Amino acid sequence: MLKIHDLHVAVDGTEILNGIDLDLKAGEVHAIMGPNGSGKSTLANVLAGRDGYDVTGGGVTFKEHDLLGMAPEERAREGLFLAFQYPVEIPGVATTTFLKHAVNAVRRHRGEEEVDAMGFVKLAREKGRALGIDDAMLKRPVNAGFSGGEKKRLETLQMALLEPGLAILDETDSGLDIDALKTVADGVNALRTEDRAMLVITHYQRLLDYIVPDRVHVLAQGRIMRSGDKDLPAELERQGYADLVNPAA
Amino acid sequence: MAERTLPFLDGLDALPDDALAAARRAGAARFDALGLPGARSELFKYGKLERLTGVPFEAAPAEAPAALPGWPAPDGAHARLVLVNGRYRPDLSDLAALPAGVTVRGLADAAEDVGGVAPATGDDHPFLALNAALATDGVALEVPAGSGELPAVHLVHVAAAPGAAPIAAHPRVLLFVGGDSTLSVLEHLVGAADGPAVFTNAVTEAAVGGDGHLRHHRLLTAPQQAVSLFQTRASVGRDASFDSTSLTIDGGLTRTDTRVGLNAPGATARVNGATLGRDAAHADHVTRITHAAPHGTSEQTFKSVLDGGARAAYQGGVVVERDAAKTDARQRHDALLLSGSAEADGKPSLEIYNDDVACSHGNTMGRIDRDALFYLRARGIGEDRARALLVAAFADAVLDHVAPGGVRTLMRRAAHRWLDMPEDAEDAEALDAA
């Protein structure tokens, strides 16, 4: 599904990622943990195609295509989904309007028939219900004035509607209380399937108690310092990141 | 005699010596005295009047072009009034939707008060004076008091030359709304994309009686060779409202000049406008709202979206007179620049002669929000469409003020067609209603 090979990325001339390797297969959930400034969000943004990042070495393939050569919208249509750490507020664009454009862009790409306004409202309501997203929230402008929990639930709804092959969750737990975290995690877990892969990026173990990964990688200083199974986070929780960030200390 | 500023005033000297001709000559004299506004004129600081003076416009002939440009109509029950190059055309109009008691008169043959046109006085504005001198036709619509809410009136200004010569038309529109009545009018300018230039110099005079409401809309979709000047003068009575929204799409030189007098306590004015311009389009919106009585409210919201070398200017004005205590007046202009060579100017202004007022104004210039653009693209929405969605959201903030109905949908459709996503206007209404 996703193969990252010796990826180097710089921002304004400063190298942030210093050679990342990762092989994520369909059906797998990998977690990337690491302290602040380790390059976790840089990795998520580079994979989604945000500008401002210079790839200085290595490469990424997604479903055997060269991912880094694709525009952000092409990546999304091919099935890559980034759940944003900070979902963007877009005043004036109704959430349903936005979602319908997104869903139809992806459907067109897959050669599927587009959904009309009424059909779409039905679909969004149905999928929204499980996430506690009501009509009023769907009519509001995208993320505008949403609470942290509402934003993350809307990200999850988008994932449910777009049915991506690869979902990258960037600090999805940030800003969530425990109830909101459970709702979002339930929504994410409902989307775990044999043909879908997930990359869960988080600072804390907490999220991984709810979304249990198959593999866990620890990112520090722009490199994967350690990889392990689902028990690695508990170990990190006890020891902290300090040894990894300053291995010589 | 003195040399005239514009050649088409010459014919006035040949008119028979009656009261109407005298009034028209007086208009011509006022125009000559005021002169064509030059570069130093504050009100025309941004307008490019060389687009007017550089073209040999002739007075519009009586005959209409063999084929008129078409126009989209609002959904739902509505009346239609058509003016072709300033001349009222009952044969193209349809008044069936209007209830008995509402009168519509062509001005060319109207007797008494508005006979044959001329006054349009009120203030010293050169193009008001020019219209007084040259208007020979137009339409008067009168709604008696107590009429309740009427079906919308689609007032179409067709600007299309019958021959190869550029022409000038000077339509006059009179709207009288009696108390306890609500009238919604859409003045819709349509032109021929490939025809000779048409100079439209229209004057709309409106009076709204106590507890009356006039919802006035303009959809200006002239071709790039057009010069379109729309002057509006409105007088608003006690607890009455004048609510105006204009949407200017491309066009050559387009200018709205709207002056509203809030002349009785509790009167409200809302003067809003959105400009969507590309290429060499230039739109000016000038306003002046005079609070002459206490407890008046005025709100102005203008948005400019400019691409290519387009320009727009908003010159807003609010005057609060000495007696107008408890006035609440707001002005704002926001511009969204889509290209490096587009240009916008915003100049709200306030003249206040009473201490007990709340007035505010704001003016911003911006570009497409890169984070929002990335967010939309990261969901599969193509870059062009993502930009269009963001631009529509920006401009829709003006159209959202329009009461829901056929007129708003028509204006939205026009905006979304400009954005190359025509189906979205219908969707917006459908999703909103769902």
Side-chain angles (χ1 to χ4, degrees):
Chain A
M1 180 73 71
L2 181 74
K3 285 196 176 116
I4 304 177
H5 171 67
D6 195 28
L7 182 67
H8 287 70
V9 174
V11 176
D12 295 331
T14 305
E15 192 139 272
I16 308 288
L17 298 182
N18 303 308
I20 301 272
D21 288 282
L22 190 79
D23 188 357
L24 178 57
K25 295 189 171 60
E28 291 182 347
V29 174
H30 287 207
I32 292 191
M33 299 186 70
N36 291 329
S38 58
K40 300 191 301 293
S41 283
T42 296
L43 179 61
N45 284 324
V46 166
L47 294 176
R50 192 173 208 133
D51 55 16
Y53 298 91
D54 300 319
V55 175
T56 52
V60 181
T61 60
F62 174 54
K63 295 182 185 169
E64 317 293 323
H65 301 297
D66 171 22
L67 182 74
L68 301 177
M70 296 160 77
E73 57 268 36
E74 293 170 349
R75 301 178 194 204
R77 291 171 194 167
E78 278 294 328
L80 184 147
F81 180 91
L82 170 65
F84 281 57
Q85 180 179 7
Y86 302 111
V88 182
E89 300 198 7
I90 311 183
V93 178
T95 300
T96 32
T97 303
F98 156 63
L99 294 175
K100 178 172 170 283
H101 276 282
V103 165
N104 279 335
V106 171
R107 291 179 79 102
R108 261 197 308 279
H109 181 76
R110 290 178 184 157
E112 295 167 6
E113 205 176 320
E114 294 185 29
V115 282
D116 63 15
M118 296 324 294
F120 180 75
V121 167
K122 197 165 161 266
L123 182 70
R125 278 179 185 159
E126 202 177 282
K127 302 227 178 205
R129 204 169 296 132
L131 292 159
I133 293 173
D134 60 12
D135 276 15
M137 193 169 150
L138 289 170
K139 282 189 181 182
R140 282 158 64 190
V142 179
N143 291 319
F146 281 28
S147 69
E150 286 176 324
K151 286 179 180 170
K152 296 300 167 82
R153 279 189 279 142
L154 183 61
E155 293 293 292
T156 314
L157 173 63
Q158 293 174 47
M159 199 193 319
L161 286 167
L162 295 173
E163 302 177 324
L166 169 65
I168 301 166
L169 279 56
D170 186 10
E171 306 266 2
T172 287
D173 48 335
S174 69
L176 293 188
D177 62 30
I178 196 69
D179 291 330
L181 180 66
K182 279 181 184 159
T183 307
V184 168
D186 286 348
V188 171
N189 285 328
L191 296 169
R192 284 179 82 154
T193 60
E194 282 302 301
D195 49 8
R196 183 171 288 143
M198 292 190 186
L199 191 59
V200 182
I201 293 171
T202 181
H203 186 98
Y204 300 105
Q205 183 199 349
R206 192 177 69 151
L207 179 66
L208 304 180
D209 291 339
Y210 296 96
I211 304 172
V212 180
D214 300 301
R215 294 286 293 164
V216 178
H217 312 279
V218 180
L219 188 66
Q221 297 172 326
R223 270 206 194 89
I224 289 177
M225 297 293 198
R226 238 183 115 176
S227 296
D229 63 13
K230 63 178 168 50
D231 297 325
L232 180 59
E235 190 183 323
L236 288 169
E237 197 80 357
R238 285 194 302 275
Q239 299 175 353
Y241 290 116
D243 292 349
L244 291 162
V245 177
N246 300 304
Chain B
M1 73 173 290
E3 197 183 326
R4 298 235 188 256
T5 320
L6 286 174
F8 38 84
L9 284 171
D10 291 343
L12 288 178
D13 297 331
L15 288 177
D17 219 4
D18 60 18
L20 174 61
R24 292 181 59 190
R25 284 190 198 105
R30 274 203 314 281
F31 178 76
D32 281 340
L34 292 163
L36 256 187
R40 280 182 302 160
S41 155
E42 189 55 30
L43 274 185
F44 287 81
K45 189 172 164 183
Y46 304 105
K48 293 191 169 146
L49 285 178
E50 62 271 19
R51 294 197 193 176
L52 174 61
T53 52
V55 180
F57 289 105
E58 296 174 1
E63 81 267 20
L68 292 177
W71 57 81
D75 297 338
H78 65 276
R80 181 175 64 247
L81 301 178
V82 180
L83 301 178
V84 177
N85 300 328
R87 290 185 165 80
Y88 176 49
R89 291 284 300 269
D91 58 314
L92 299 175
S93 302
D94 181 355
L95 310 178
L98 294 176
V102 174
T103 56
V104 173
R105 292 176 291 171
L107 294 181
D109 50 15
E112 306 140 26
D113 53 329
V114 293
V117 226
T121 47
D123 54 70
D124 273 346
H125 187 283
F127 290 103
L128 215 60
L130 189 68
N131 183 281
L134 297 173
T136 55
D137 202 352
V139 71
L141 193 153
E142 194 163 350
V143 178
S147 296
E149 184 161 354
L150 297 168
V153 174
H154 188 204
L155 199 169
V156 187
H157 292 274
V158 181
I167 60 163
H170 305 269
R172 180 79 56 81
V173 174
L174 305 175
L175 304 170
F176 303 102
V177 181
D180 295 309
S181 304
T182 299
L183 175 68
S184 172
V185 175
L186 170 64
E187 285 194 65
H188 188 174
L189 174 68
V190 296
D194 305 318
V198 178
F199 167 38
T200 301
N201 178 41
V203 171
T204 297
E205 295 176 273
V208 190
D211 289 306
H213 303 285
L214 174 56
R215 298 181 190 143
H216 179 250
H217 315 86
R218 275 210 183 95
L219 176 54
L220 305 176
T221 56
Q224 57 173 12
Q225 64 276 26
V227 175
S228 315
L229 311 183
F230 280 80
Q231 286 74 224
T232 307
R233 299 294 181 264
S235 152
V236 188
R238 179 180 279 269
D239 295 323
S241 66
F242 173 73
D243 206 326
S244 170
T245 305
S246 68
L247 173 59
T248 307
I249 298 184
D250 293 332
L253 170 61
T254 307
R255 195 181 153 86
T256 68
D257 181 304
T258 305
R259 300 189 189 185
V260 184
L262 299 179
N263 298 324
T268 300
R270 221 187 264 142
V271 180
N272 298 334
T275 296
L276 304 174
R278 284 197 180 96
D279 304 326
H282 182 118
D284 272 5
H285 298 290
V286 181
T287 68
R288 187 180 174 91
I289 295 177
T290 304
H291 288 260
H295 295 283
T297 307
S298 70
E299 237 178 85
Q300 302 183 48
T301 306
F302 282 81
K303 305 265 185 191
S304 305
V305 178
L306 304 169
D307 203 351
R311 281 194 69 167
Y314 163 71
Q315 284 177 276
V318 166
V319 180
V320 181
E321 293 186 348
R322 192 164 309 145
D323 296 336
K326 308 286 182 197
T327 285
D328 190 335
R330 302 180 189 281
Q331 303 175 69
R332 81 165 296 115
H333 170 248
D334 302 292
L336 181 60
L337 304 177
L338 302 179
S339 81
S341 46
E343 201 180 318
D345 296 283
K347 210 178 132 248
S349 71
L350 281 166
E351 263 179 66
I352 306 176
Y353 302 100
N354 184 300
D355 294 335
D356 187 14
V357 298
C359 295
S360 69
H361 60 77
N363 181 48
T364 67
M365 309 275 158
R367 297 191 183 274
I368 290 276
D369 179 344
R370 296 174 67 88
D371 289 336
L373 189 63
F374 175 65
Y375 189 72
L376 296 175
R377 294 177 71 192
R379 296 299 178 249
I381 301 170
E383 185 172 1
D384 288 349
R385 178 55 57 97
R387 280 178 191 279
L389 277 170
L390 295 173
V391 172
F394 178 84
D396 271 347
V398 167
L399 298 184
D400 284 345
H401 288 293
V402 176
V407 168
R408 184 173 78 175
T409 308
L410 182 67
M411 293 173 86
R412 260 211 184 120
R413 275 183 203 143
H416 288 235
R417 204 175 308 116
W418 188 84
L419 291 163
D420 200 24
M421 44 179 203
E423 78 289 355
D424 238 57
E426 320 299 320
D427 264 22
E429 304 279 341
L431 292 172
D432 202 43

